[in-house]
């Protein structure tokens, strides 16, 4: 259950900015490219640290890997809560994205290991599927959480694309009006900034609570192996990697 929640929160934090991109652009004056790079930095960090995460789980155990992942996720979400100037905050978000990518390594490689160690053979497929799908549920939930906590201004895309947002960037309230739909709307930058910060605090709080729970109790394996195969010593990491790359089938699929 705790690992599933870790995967869920990692996916939620990973996709924080996409659902609230319009508000983030208005508040912090970020471009689409900068917001898109937040996710790219996380993915690059995942590619670079996937093999070390696999080694960590195999040699140090599941508890060590999960605690490390939860710690990186908590640090990632905590950095975004710092009261920094806007020109510095974007670098904090970039660093947080890298930390989130490092955290995602354990989330993505651990489900088969957890199912092999904790579950009998007839339950391993289901256990692996559940452990893997929670990260995607977290990504999906980020759209709901972002829209509820921050919300999106109805006419904000038109506001961002106009020169008004640059001409009045020193103001807290932007006014938009249109004749086609006969509307007049106000967009409070200060209020949106507070809502974004509330979302940051919410995600950090949930990640910190999960880290505390994992520290209190997350054993590497059950007291009694569910099957004989769960107690079998696995192949050493480096020889296994070398054997994998010597496999014609593996290389051809890569």
């Amino acid at each position: 259950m705790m690992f599933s929640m870790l995967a869920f929160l990692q996916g939620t934090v990973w996709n924080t900015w996409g659902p609230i991109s319009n508000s983030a652009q208005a508040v912090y004056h970020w471009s689409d490219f900068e917001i898109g790079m937040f996710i790219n930095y996380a993915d690059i960090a995942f590619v670079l640290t996937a093999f070390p995460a696999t080694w960590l789980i195999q040699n140090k155990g599941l508890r060590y890997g999960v605690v490390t992942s939860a710690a990186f996720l908590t640090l990632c979400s905590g950095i975004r809560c710092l009261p920094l100037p806007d020109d510095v905050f974007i670098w904090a978000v970039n660093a947080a994205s890298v930390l989130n990518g490092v955290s995602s390594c354990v989330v993505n490689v651990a489900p088969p290991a957890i199912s092999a160690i904790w579950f009998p053979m007839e339950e391993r497929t289901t256990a692996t599927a559940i452990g893997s799908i929670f990260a995607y549920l977290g990504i999906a939930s980020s759209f709901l959480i972002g829209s509820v906590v921050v919300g999106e201004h109805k006419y904000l895309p038109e506001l961002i694309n106009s020169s008004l947002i640059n001409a009045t960037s020193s103001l807290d309230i932007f006014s938009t009006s249109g004749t086609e739909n006969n509307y007049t709307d106000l967009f409070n930058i200060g209020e949106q900034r507070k809502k974004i910060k509330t979302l940051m605090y919410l995600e950090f709080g949930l990640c910190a609570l999960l880290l505390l729970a994992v520290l209190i109790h997350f054993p590497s394996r059950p007291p009694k192996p569910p099957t004989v195969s769960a107690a079998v010593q696995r192949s050493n990491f480096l020889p296994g990697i070398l054997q994998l790359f010597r496999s014609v089938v593996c290389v051809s699929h890569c």
Side-chain angles (χ1 to χ4, degrees):
M1 182 64 181
M2 282 191 287
F3 177 81
S4 296
M5 289 307 302
L6 174 64
F8 182 89
L9 287 176
Q10 188 276 321
T12 302
V13 174
W14 179 82
N15 195 46
T16 295
W17 299 103
I20 60 170
S21 59
N22 285 338
S23 295
Q25 284 178 304
V27 172
Y28 299 110
H29 308 294
W30 292 340
S31 65
D32 288 332
F33 174 80
E34 288 170 324
I35 293 178
M37 285 303 298
F38 295 153
I39 290 179
N40 289 337
Y41 288 136
D43 293 343
I44 292 170
F46 167 77
V47 172
L48 295 177
T49 55
F51 282 116
T54 305
W55 177 89
L56 182 69
I57 292 175
Q58 184 172 14
N59 290 273
K60 300 296 183 178
L62 281 172
R63 174 177 172 80
Y64 201 95
V66 171
V67 169
T68 301
S69 177
F72 272 111
L73 187 61
T74 303
L75 181 60
C76 153
S77 56
I79 287 177
R80 303 185 306 180
C81 296
L82 297 176
L84 301 172
D86 290 353
D87 57 340
V88 179
F89 182 64
I90 187 172
W91 294 105
V93 175
N94 287 333
S97 298
V98 172
L99 295 173
N100 182 269
V102 176
S103 172
S104 70
C105 292
V106 173
V107 168
N108 284 278
V109 305
I114 292 176
S115 63
I117 294 174
W118 282 88
F119 295 90
M121 295 187 65
E122 64 272 14
E123 298 178 1
R124 288 178 183 174
T125 301
T126 303
T128 302
I130 292 175
S132 300
I133 201 173
F134 262 83
Y136 300 101
L137 291 176
I139 295 173
S141 73
S142 66
F143 290 93
L144 177 61
I145 296 172
S147 63
V148 170
V149 178
V150 178
E152 285 289 67
H153 189 272
K154 184 176 181 181
Y155 302 110
L156 192 52
E158 290 85 348
L159 179 61
I160 292 174
N161 293 328
S162 70
S163 59
L164 179 63
I165 194 169
N166 295 321
T168 60
S169 59
S170 62
L171 300 179
D172 278 343
I173 299 179
F174 294 146
S175 176
T176 61
S177 61
T179 56
E180 181 179 352
N181 296 315
N182 193 23
Y183 64 84
T184 298
D185 254 349
L186 293 178
F187 179 72
N188 192 314
I189 291 294
E191 185 66 25
Q192 287 298 109
R193 186 185 296 270
K194 290 179 182 179
K195 290 180 179 180
I196 291 176
K197 281 299 183 182
T198 299
L199 179 61
M200 301 297 103
Y201 296 144
L202 174 62
E203 292 181 348
F204 171 66
L206 293 174
C207 292
L209 285 175
L210 180 63
L211 174 60
L212 179 62
V214 169
L215 287 172
I216 293 174
H217 183 73
F218 192 95
S220 289
R221 55 182 64 249
K224 184 179 179 181
T227 60
V228 175
S229 62
V232 173
Q233 181 66 34
R234 306 299 173 182
S235 302
N236 292 329
F237 181 76
L238 184 57
I241 291 295
L242 295 176
Q243 184 179 0
L244 191 65
F245 280 106
R246 292 192 191 104
S247 170
V248 176
V249 176
C250 175
V251 173
S252 64
H253 279 78
C254 290

